[in-house]
PDB file of all heavy atoms in Angstrom:
ATOM      1  N   LEU A  73     -21.822  21.390  29.322  1.00  0.00           N
ATOM      2  CA  LEU A  73     -21.123  21.968  28.188  1.00  0.00           C
ATOM      3  C   LEU A  73     -20.150  23.076  28.588  1.00  0.00           C
ATOM      4  O   LEU A  73     -18.960  23.005  28.270  1.00  0.00           O
ATOM      5  CB  LEU A  73     -22.151  22.491  27.181  1.00  0.00           C
ATOM      6  CG  LEU A  73     -21.698  22.740  25.768  1.00  0.00           C
ATOM      7  CD1 LEU A  73     -21.081  21.499  25.161  1.00  0.00           C
ATOM      8  CD2 LEU A  73     -22.863  23.210  24.917  1.00  0.00           C
ATOM      9  N   LEU A  74     -20.629  24.102  29.294  1.00  0.00           N
ATOM     10  CA  LEU A  74     -19.773  25.228  29.655  1.00  0.00           C
ATOM     11  C   LEU A  74     -18.644  24.815  30.608  1.00  0.00           C
ATOM     12  O   LEU A  74     -17.486  25.177  30.366  1.00  0.00           O
ATOM     13  CB  LEU A  74     -20.604  26.371  30.236  1.00  0.00           C
ATOM     14  CG  LEU A  74     -19.856  27.679  30.461  1.00  0.00           C
ATOM     15  CD1 LEU A  74     -19.219  28.189  29.177  1.00  0.00           C
ATOM     16  CD2 LEU A  74     -20.789  28.722  31.042  1.00  0.00           C
ATOM     17  N   PRO A  75     -18.922  24.035  31.660  1.00  0.00           N
ATOM     18  CA  PRO A  75     -17.799  23.604  32.518  1.00  0.00           C
ATOM     19  C   PRO A  75     -16.780  22.745  31.764  1.00  0.00           C
ATOM     20  O   PRO A  75     -15.570  22.886  31.962  1.00  0.00           O
ATOM     21  CB  PRO A  75     -18.470  22.797  33.632  1.00  0.00           C
ATOM     22  CG  PRO A  75     -19.888  23.232  33.643  1.00  0.00           C
ATOM     23  CD  PRO A  75     -20.214  23.642  32.240  1.00  0.00           C
ATOM     24  N   ALA A  76     -17.247  21.872  30.882  1.00  0.00           N
ATOM     25  CA  ALA A  76     -16.320  21.021  30.136  1.00  0.00           C
ATOM     26  C   ALA A  76     -15.471  21.843  29.173  1.00  0.00           C
ATOM     27  O   ALA A  76     -14.260  21.627  29.056  1.00  0.00           O
ATOM     28  CB  ALA A  76     -17.090  19.942  29.382  1.00  0.00           C
ATOM     29  N   ILE A  77     -16.105  22.777  28.490  1.00  0.00           N
ATOM     30  CA  ILE A  77     -15.354  23.631  27.558  1.00  0.00           C
ATOM     31  C   ILE A  77     -14.342  24.478  28.312  1.00  0.00           C
ATOM     32  O   ILE A  77     -13.189  24.607  27.892  1.00  0.00           O
ATOM     33  CB  ILE A  77     -16.313  24.513  26.730  1.00  0.00           C
ATOM     34  CG1 ILE A  77     -17.092  23.646  25.738  1.00  0.00           C
ATOM     35  CG2 ILE A  77     -15.554  25.610  25.999  1.00  0.00           C
ATOM     36  CD1 ILE A  77     -18.200  24.383  25.015  1.00  0.00           C
ATOM     37  N   SER A  78     -14.766  25.064  29.433  1.00  0.00           N
ATOM     38  CA  SER A  78     -13.863  25.909  30.220  1.00  0.00           C
ATOM     39  C   SER A  78     -12.653  25.120  30.709  1.00  0.00           C
ATOM     40  O   SER A  78     -11.505  25.567  30.567  1.00  0.00           O
ATOM     41  CB  SER A  78     -14.604  26.510  31.420  1.00  0.00           C
ATOM     42  OG  SER A  78     -15.680  27.289  30.982  1.00  0.00           O
ATOM     43  N   ALA A  79     -12.896  23.954  31.282  1.00  0.00           N
ATOM     44  CA  ALA A  79     -11.796  23.126  31.762  1.00  0.00           C
ATOM     45  C   ALA A  79     -10.929  22.661  30.593  1.00  0.00           C
ATOM     46  O   ALA A  79      -9.698  22.638  30.687  1.00  0.00           O
ATOM     47  CB  ALA A  79     -12.325  21.929  32.545  1.00  0.00           C
ATOM     48  N   GLY A  80     -11.564  22.298  29.490  1.00  0.00           N
ATOM     49  CA  GLY A  80     -10.815  21.858  28.315  1.00  0.00           C
ATOM     50  C   GLY A  80      -9.891  22.933  27.782  1.00  0.00           C
ATOM     51  O   GLY A  80      -8.743  22.663  27.421  1.00  0.00           O
ATOM     52  N   LEU A  81     -10.374  24.162  27.707  1.00  0.00           N
ATOM     53  CA  LEU A  81      -9.535  25.268  27.231  1.00  0.00           C
ATOM     54  C   LEU A  81      -8.342  25.503  28.148  1.00  0.00           C
ATOM     55  O   LEU A  81      -7.207  25.635  27.690  1.00  0.00           O
ATOM     56  CB  LEU A  81     -10.365  26.549  27.106  1.00  0.00           C
ATOM     57  CG  LEU A  81     -11.361  26.600  25.964  1.00  0.00           C
ATOM     58  CD1 LEU A  81     -12.253  27.828  26.086  1.00  0.00           C
ATOM     59  CD2 LEU A  81     -10.649  26.596  24.628  1.00  0.00           C
TER      60      LEU A  81
END
Side-chain angles (χ1 to χ4, degrees):
L73 199 56
L74 189 57
I77 290 172
S78 300
L81 288 171

